[in-house]
Amino acid sequence: MLKKRIIPKFLLKDGRLVKGLRFHENIRQAGNPVSTSKVYDSYGVDELIFLDIHASVESRKTTLDIIEKVSEEVFMPLTVGGGVTSLKDIADLLKAGADKVSVNTAAVENPNFMTQAATHFGDQCMVASIDYRQVSPDIFRVCTHGGYRVTDYEPLEFALRMQDNHCGEVLLTSVDRDGTMTGYDLDMIHQLSEVLSIPLIASSGAGSLEDCMNAFYAGASAITLSSMFIFTDHSPIKIRSYLFSQGLNVRASSSSRN
Amino acid sequence: MIAIIDYGMGNVRSVFNALDYIGAEAVITSDHQQIEDSDRIILPGVGAFGQAMKNLNDAELVQVLTREVVEKRKPFLGICLGLQLLAKHGLEHGQHQGFGWLDAQVTPLESKSGEKLPHMGWNDVIPNGKHPLFHGIRSEHCVFYFVHSFQVECNDKNDILATCRYGQHFVAAVAKNNIAATQFHPEKSQDSGLEFLENFIQWQPEEC
């Protein structure tokens, strides 16, 4: 049967990996993206996600360069996003070696952009990246511009809209939990996965093995991990073994040629 | 020399990179002469059936491929859409005619028990008996990456090389004489995928 997926999420800034807390606080350097990709490939992770958090013109050129290099040596699906605003941006990323492209702000500002992109490149190429934060008790809103601007959209409502507009997957990120390693937002994951007919990738908050398991039980098809890999000693192999021991359907560990 | 057919749809670069990584000589091309000069052919594909057939017909590639593969019997590997195109027809956004190399049709995958669609991720592939293309791939590592919303339904069960289960059983790979094709992406399936591609490079169909 289809395996649950474990996906490292790499944030890129000017060609280097970085990691922050709640998106903007305490941004630290976290290494070389190409060599790090190869290390994770050897751990047998299921996919890689790269988000360019700077997304300036220069940063984008560097990102394309990194994706080209990664795709020459690592043979698993690569999702890339960050500052994607046009069909050309998507075409450039796919040409550089990305398999899926994630769109965030551009899709919120113009939901039809997702439809255009999916029509042009195929549903399976498009990931709707939805960032959200809590604005008051029980009230959550979608954010754009790297979490800086709050919109009137509610996450579930927007996710359904993106599904209607033919994206292939939703990448759901809690800005509040980012980098905190206090666990995924299980309620939100459950809410969305119950209603969406497309896969949901849960992002932000993983700090323990149980957190990972809980996200899958809440309905995620895949989880991303960032801080937990960079700042703790939990490797994908450990996570996979743990999940397997808990009865979850994950891939048996296999190493790559590296 | 392996010709990776470029018809404007599909991750030709990924296939090239994977072949390059395992030391195989390949060229991404739509040039009829280069295809004629090649020893093996790979047809990748991502996207819609109708658009793909249009692009291939516009470039007169269907005729060239039929000559090189069906008549001259060059080893052939179709990937994802490259499998579906081999059917007689596909039903995505209307009915479209395929290559017709397989007695098969393309139909939507059904979500019988709430499965998410597209079928996206790693899944177990179960080969039907021994075949050189799956040589050396142990069953616990016979897991490959899929991303699709449609499936191929083979009317001739002898054509089915491997199956997969996602709610329902569906065709994961076909092999008919020198023509092979996979629904999964070997170029995106790490070790198992690279092993599969190595097997394709060594494959001598006439010995089967």
Side-chain angles (χ1 to χ4, degrees):
Chain A
M1 276 302 284
L2 186 65
K3 316 291 175 188
K4 297 291 189 186
R5 292 173 276 152
I6 297 165
I7 309 175
K9 182 161 93 166
F10 296 139
L11 302 182
L12 293 172
K13 189 168 193 251
D14 303 320
R16 301 291 294 175
L17 290 184
V18 292
K19 187 66 196 84
L21 180 67
R22 285 179 283 265
F23 275 33
H24 307 300
E25 299 165 41
N26 202 14
I27 304 238
R28 289 150 287 184
Q29 290 278 316
N32 174 301
V34 180
S35 53
T36 305
S37 299
K38 287 166 69 168
V39 168
Y40 281 99
D41 182 43
S42 74
Y43 287 142
V45 296
D46 299 308
E47 299 183 23
L48 295 178
I49 294 179
F50 292 91
L51 294 179
D52 179 350
I53 63 168
H54 194 170
S56 63
V57 176
E58 297 74 39
S59 194
R60 253 184 257 181
K61 283 206 196 102
T62 322
T63 297
L64 288 175
D65 197 49
I66 290 168
I67 299 304
E68 263 188 51
K69 294 199 169 79
V70 170
S71 64
E72 280 168 12
E73 303 199 63
V74 159
F75 301 100
M76 65 173 127
L78 305 177
T79 301
V80 190
V84 173
T85 57
S86 68
L87 296 182
K88 181 180 185 305
D89 288 340
I90 301 171
D92 286 345
L93 286 169
L94 293 174
K95 191 165 172 211
D99 299 287
K100 298 186 249 177
V101 174
S102 103
V103 181
N104 189 330
T105 299
V108 177
E109 293 185 338
N110 175 16
N112 288 326
F113 175 58
M114 181 56 76
T115 314
Q116 274 185 291
T119 306
H120 204 94
F121 298 105
D123 302 15
Q124 74 291 328
C125 279
M126 300 310 304
V127 178
S129 173
I130 302 174
D131 298 336
Y132 70 97
R133 58 171 11 134
Q134 185 164 18
V135 296
S136 59
D138 293 325
I139 299 189
F140 298 86
R141 289 289 179 264
V142 173
C143 311
T144 59
H145 295 85
Y148 277 115
R149 292 191 206 166
V150 179
T151 69
D152 290 326
Y153 285 115
E154 205 262 317
L156 175 56
E157 167 206 359
F158 189 69
L160 284 169
R161 184 117 185 239
M162 289 292 97
Q163 178 177 271
D164 285 341
N165 288 8
H166 302 288
C167 74
E169 258 181 327
V170 166
L171 169 63
L172 181 71
T173 305
S174 159
V175 178
D176 303 316
R177 287 172 186 263
D178 174 58
T180 62
M181 298 197 279
T182 52
Y184 291 94
D185 184 349
L186 302 177
D187 287 335
M188 192 62 78
I189 294 169
H190 181 74
Q191 241 193 73
L192 264 72
S193 61
E194 281 282 284
V195 173
L196 290 173
S197 60
I198 57 178
L200 175 74
I201 309 170
S203 183
S204 286
S208 71
L209 300 173
E210 291 78 19
D211 289 341
C212 298
M213 177 183 73
N214 290 334
F216 286 125
Y217 279 135
S221 300
I223 55 172
T224 73
L225 293 101
S226 213
S227 296
M228 189 169 155
F229 283 151
I230 296 171
F231 302 118
T232 75
D233 69 347
H234 291 306
S235 72
I237 294 175
K238 209 165 162 187
I239 294 172
R240 206 189 285 290
S241 299
Y242 173 76
L243 293 172
F244 191 78
S245 74
Q246 299 298 308
L248 276 161
N249 197 357
V250 290
R251 274 202 300 162
S253 266
S254 65
S255 60
S256 84
R257 278 139 193 263
N258 294 330
Chain B
M1 176 62 74
I2 302 169
I4 303 168
I5 308 299
D6 184 5
Y7 55 104
M9 290 172 74
N11 51 345
V12 288
R13 192 86 223 153
S14 303
V15 176
F16 178 88
N17 285 341
L19 291 173
D20 186 55
Y21 191 84
I22 59 179
E25 263 198 85
V27 63
I28 298 170
T29 183
S30 55
D31 180 78
H32 297 190
Q33 191 57 54
Q34 277 192 312
I35 296 169
E36 204 178 311
D37 294 339
S38 71
D39 310 296
R40 283 162 205 271
I41 295 170
I42 294 182
L43 181 70
V46 171
F49 193 105
Q51 185 65 52
M53 285 310 299
K54 180 177 186 306
N55 290 7
L56 286 161
N57 279 317
D58 286 349
E60 293 174 355
L61 288 170
V62 182
Q63 299 152 256
V64 173
L65 290 173
T66 302
R67 188 187 67 221
E68 297 301 309
V69 178
V70 180
E71 290 169 37
K72 294 190 191 168
R73 311 196 78 138
K74 282 184 182 161
F76 172 92
L77 177 66
I79 299 173
C80 194
L81 188 57
L83 156 66
Q84 296 174 0
L85 293 172
L86 306 185
K88 290 189 165 161
H89 50 261
L91 295 169
E92 189 177 3
H93 305 308
Q95 182 162 310
H96 303 277
Q97 204 178 357
F99 286 26
W101 295 356
L102 292 174
D103 181 8
Q105 57 283 336
V106 178
T107 56
L109 269 179
E110 280 165 35
S111 176
K112 299 203 167 168
S113 337
E115 289 88 16
K116 309 290 182 188
L117 287 173
H119 174 221
M120 190 182 294
W122 297 81
N123 204 338
D124 300 300
V125 169
I126 307 144
N128 279 352
K130 283 187 183 306
H131 191 282
L133 290 175
F134 282 101
H135 174 74
I137 300 171
R138 296 207 308 269
S139 61
E140 62 269 25
H141 292 147
C142 202
V143 186
F144 294 85
Y145 196 87
F146 290 84
V147 54
H148 59 118
S149 308
F150 287 80
Q151 59 171 327
V152 166
E153 285 180 353
C154 291
N155 301 322
D156 183 351
K157 305 302 173 196
N158 291 319
D159 291 343
I160 302 173
L161 171 62
T163 56
C164 180
R165 189 165 70 95
Y166 188 52
Q168 52 181 124
H169 275 100
F170 66 90
V171 172
V174 298
K176 179 178 167 178
N177 304 318
N178 58 307
I179 299 167
T182 61
Q183 183 60 74
F184 55 83
H185 288 268
E187 76 287 4
K188 291 283 145 187
S189 298
Q190 290 169 331
D191 256 14
S192 308
L194 293 175
E195 189 98 44
F196 187 91
L197 288 172
E198 272 184 355
N199 289 343
F200 172 67
I201 290 159
Q202 319 276 4
W203 185 37
Q204 303 293 331
E206 57 276 8
E207 289 168 15
C208 286

